[in-house]
Amino acid sequence: MNLKQIKDMIFSITDYNPDVETYQDEVTRIVNEVYEDFFTSRPWTFSQKEIDMYTMPDVTVTGAVITSTTPADPQSHLVTNVGAIAADPRYEGSILQVTNATDATDQGEYFIDSCDTLTQIFVSKKAIYGSPAWTTTTNPVTVIAKQRYITLPDDCVVPLGVSVRDPTITTGPGPYGPIFELNRRDDAEMGLWLDSTGTPNSWVPYDNVPGGELDVTDFPPLPGDLAVSAVACVAGEAWPVGSYEFFLAYRFRGHIGPIGEAVKLTIAQLQKPRFATRDTTLSGMAGLHKHIFYRIVSITATSYTDDLIRDMNAYSMTTTPVPVAPGTGAIIGQKFYIPDENITIDTPPDWLGGVSSNEQKLRSVPRAPDFTEGTYWRIRLHPRPNFYMPIRIRYIRSCHALLVDTDTPEMPPDTHRYIVYRACEELFSKHNALPQAQLYKTKADAEEKRLAAQWLTQRAASYVKGPFRSSPGYYKPFRRLIQLP
């Protein structure tokens, strides 16, 4: 069943279907809450996901230079002449170790906040050491970039397992196989050395940033952080006439944070959006970039509308965007975002190849993950591999919300009835119809138990021992799967 069919069945059971937008939205909200809670509550076979993530090798640069800072601006420090580290944004959020500095207080471990150019990076001192200013410009120092923590995808609800399964691995020491989980208490009691390198045999999960460091959730978009206006442009860059909503999210250390409130804009003939944001370096923290999302409220010519929030950064361009009012930061690559110091930027001329008033191009931009809230699971491998190696990660994933009538739950068809029963329980309780609420609670509980027997159990090499018999007519042992409470 899709969203419309689920709601129709709910309205049929409750015998109540007012043509009121607020009530329709409330039912959609309840359906999504039930759906998302059920999908992520247990390790259902359909909610598990396996991906390969590559570890990043250590990179050592011997001729790097650190630039002095003042006590008034100690948060982010500039490191220049770092070569391959700055050229690869995947190192954002990794550890940078500084050695051979003239002043001993400048040495230690830092987080890489931003890779803004091909030659320099911004770093900040790890919180466990405090954040003192760099007092002198030293002679060239040695820096080592290390991927100590692997950030899992934003749809990860909880990691379930880590292993090495790729048969094509030819680099690094062996052997390969399962990697066993250690909880953080065991990790602390064993005192595992953080800088040990080699083939990993254990992993430690982190449901937040280790050490209480700054994360993208510390920088929520505030009212006034984004202003959008319509500016004149040539026909090849103009957006379709209509109404739109734009949203801001910050990116810090390679992670996208929560999406802010909508900013409305009406676009007339031969116009396109211009985005004005604040200079995020004024807080002393470099590398806080801005991402823009949009929603089509209404296209005047076709009356098209939808509820999907789309990610402007998801589309690659052929040229690097040029800001209208640039700061010293620069856009690296052909993805559209707003650097930390840049304040004002137009929609790039070749974004979508030039919109050309074509609503189909705007509709082709991928929808943003609606589960992005700025929180990410991380894992630390021990020993840490300092070479490229694919790690197979299995986890419970989030699901996309049901926003439009044709959206279908990412679950087998026989599970959809559970959503209906549980949503009816919520609605009857909301309307104080407690006997009916109890009835559909019983139905939903029975449905969940039935689904657990099917979608939480898989045949494997080992079984719970049960009765069996052997005879000429039935010569193979009969194995019975027994579900434990």
Side-chain angles (χ1 to χ4, degrees):
M1 291 187 286
N2 57 30
L3 176 60
K4 183 179 185 304
Q5 293 168 331
I6 290 174
K7 291 172 65 176
D8 286 346
M9 188 172 180
I10 292 172
F11 295 144
S12 175
I13 292 174
T14 59
D15 199 22
Y16 185 62
N17 184 15
D19 189 17
V20 179
E21 183 178 359
T22 54
Y23 185 79
Q24 297 286 333
D25 291 344
E26 177 71 4
V27 173
T28 300
R29 183 190 63 80
I30 291 175
V31 167
N32 274 294
E33 285 186 356
V34 170
Y35 167 44
E36 293 168 10
D37 287 347
F38 175 76
F39 192 90
T40 60
S41 62
R42 305 171 77 177
W44 306 101
T45 56
F46 49 79
S47 67
Q48 297 181 38
K49 183 177 180 179
E50 285 191 357
I51 62 170
D52 282 336
M53 298 188 69
Y54 277 79
T55 60
M56 298 291 291
D58 290 359
V59 176
T60 301
V61 178
T62 57
V65 177
I66 62 177
T67 303
S68 61
T69 56
T70 64
D73 186 20
Q75 289 89 347
S76 287
H77 307 305
L78 179 64
V79 187
T80 59
N81 197 33
V82 291
I85 301 175
D88 194 338
R90 291 178 296 177
Y91 281 106
E92 289 186 348
S94 293
I95 302 297
L96 188 80
Q97 181 180 351
V98 176
T99 60
N100 298 330
T102 303
D103 192 326
T105 61
D106 295 337
Q107 301 189 146
E109 290 189 340
Y110 300 77
F111 273 113
I112 299 177
D113 295 333
S114 176
C115 301
D116 274 347
T117 72
L118 298 180
T119 60
Q120 65 184 30
I121 59 176
F122 284 95
V123 300
S124 58
K125 196 80 169 182
K126 287 171 60 62
I128 55 176
Y129 299 112
S131 188
W134 279 342
T135 55
T136 60
T137 300
T138 72
N139 294 323
V141 299
T142 298
V143 296
I144 307 174
K146 312 171 185 178
Q147 187 193 38
R148 178 169 297 160
Y149 306 103
I150 299 176
T151 302
L152 303 187
D154 54 6
D155 66 342
C156 176
V157 176
V158 60
L160 298 176
V162 179
S163 61
V164 179
R165 306 286 294 276
D166 194 325
T168 64
I169 296 175
T170 58
T171 60
Y176 300 106
I179 303 176
F180 300 98
E181 180 181 1
L182 287 178
N183 60 47
R184 293 166 68 176
R185 177 180 176 178
D186 291 339
D187 174 44
E189 291 180 348
M190 295 170 67
L192 298 178
W193 185 34
L194 293 178
D195 223 22
S196 177
T197 59
T199 301
N201 52 42
S202 58
W203 62 280
V204 182
Y206 294 85
D207 56 353
N208 51 26
V209 181
E213 310 293 343
L214 284 173
D215 201 3
V216 70
T217 50
D218 295 304
F219 307 99
L222 301 176
D225 282 4
L226 173 66
V228 189
S229 59
V231 297
C233 64
V234 299
E237 303 173 20
W239 283 42
V241 176
S243 300
Y244 301 85
E245 290 180 344
F246 292 90
F247 308 82
L248 173 69
Y250 288 111
R251 187 191 81 199
F252 184 58
R253 294 176 180 167
H255 305 144
I256 304 295
I259 297 176
E261 296 296 324
V263 177
K264 300 181 183 298
L265 177 68
T266 298
I267 293 180
Q269 196 74 26
L270 296 180
Q271 288 184 337
K272 67 178 183 179
R274 168 175 290 180
F275 308 103
T277 59
R278 65 183 179 90
D279 182 353
T280 55
T281 63
L282 297 178
S283 63
M285 180 62 67
L288 192 60
H289 300 312
K290 285 96 56 167
H291 281 238
I292 304 298
F293 303 82
Y294 71 92
R295 183 176 81 85
I296 301 173
V297 177
S298 177
I299 301 294
T300 302
T302 62
S303 300
Y304 175 81
T305 183
D306 64 36
D307 293 321
L308 304 180
I309 297 177
R310 305 175 189 273
D311 184 2
M312 292 188 69
N313 182 255
Y315 186 83
S316 295
M317 297 167 288
T318 57
T319 59
T320 298
V322 178
V324 175
T328 58
I331 297 176
I332 304 300
Q334 282 73 50
K335 295 288 189 178
F336 175 65
Y337 65 93
I338 305 177
D340 46 14
E341 291 189 49
N342 295 141
I343 298 176
T344 304
I345 187 170
D346 288 345
T347 304
D350 68 333
W351 187 75
L352 287 180
V355 178
S356 303
S357 301
N358 188 338
E359 97 180 41
Q360 295 298 326
K361 289 186 176 181
L362 291 177
R363 292 169 61 180
S364 70
V365 176
R367 64 192 288 182
D370 44 56
F371 39 72
T372 298
E373 298 179 353
T375 55
Y376 296 83
W377 276 88
R378 295 165 175 84
I379 62 172
R380 194 189 86 240
L381 300 177
H382 178 82
R384 174 176 57 83
N386 58 355
F387 47 86
Y388 278 115
M389 185 173 72
I391 301 294
R392 177 68 55 86
I393 300 174
R394 182 170 61 93
Y395 59 88
I396 298 176
R397 64 183 177 92
S398 296
C399 56
H400 283 288
L402 308 177
L403 300 178
V404 298
D405 285 346
T406 54
D407 280 348
T408 303
E410 302 173 70
M411 307 188 304
D414 65 337
T415 64
H416 297 178
R417 191 177 296 273
Y418 169 85
I419 300 176
V420 174
Y421 290 161
R422 193 66 78 187
C424 287
E425 175 197 345
E426 296 290 334
L427 285 170
F428 281 129
S429 297
K430 180 181 178 67
H431 295 292
N432 204 31
L434 300 184
Q436 292 90 336
Q438 182 60 42
L439 171 64
Y440 280 92
K441 180 183 185 303
T442 303
K443 284 178 171 288
D445 291 344
E447 191 73 9
E448 183 174 11
K449 184 176 181 180
R450 180 186 69 81
L451 297 176
Q454 179 174 358
W455 297 107
L456 285 179
T457 303
Q458 289 182 309
R459 297 182 67 88
S462 58
Y463 297 84
V464 177
K465 194 171 184 179
F468 66 91
R469 59 193 177 100
S470 180
S471 68
Y474 193 87
Y475 58 91
K476 289 185 178 180
F478 174 74
R479 291 172 171 172
R480 175 178 299 166
L481 288 175
I482 299 176
Q483 184 183 2
L484 301 178

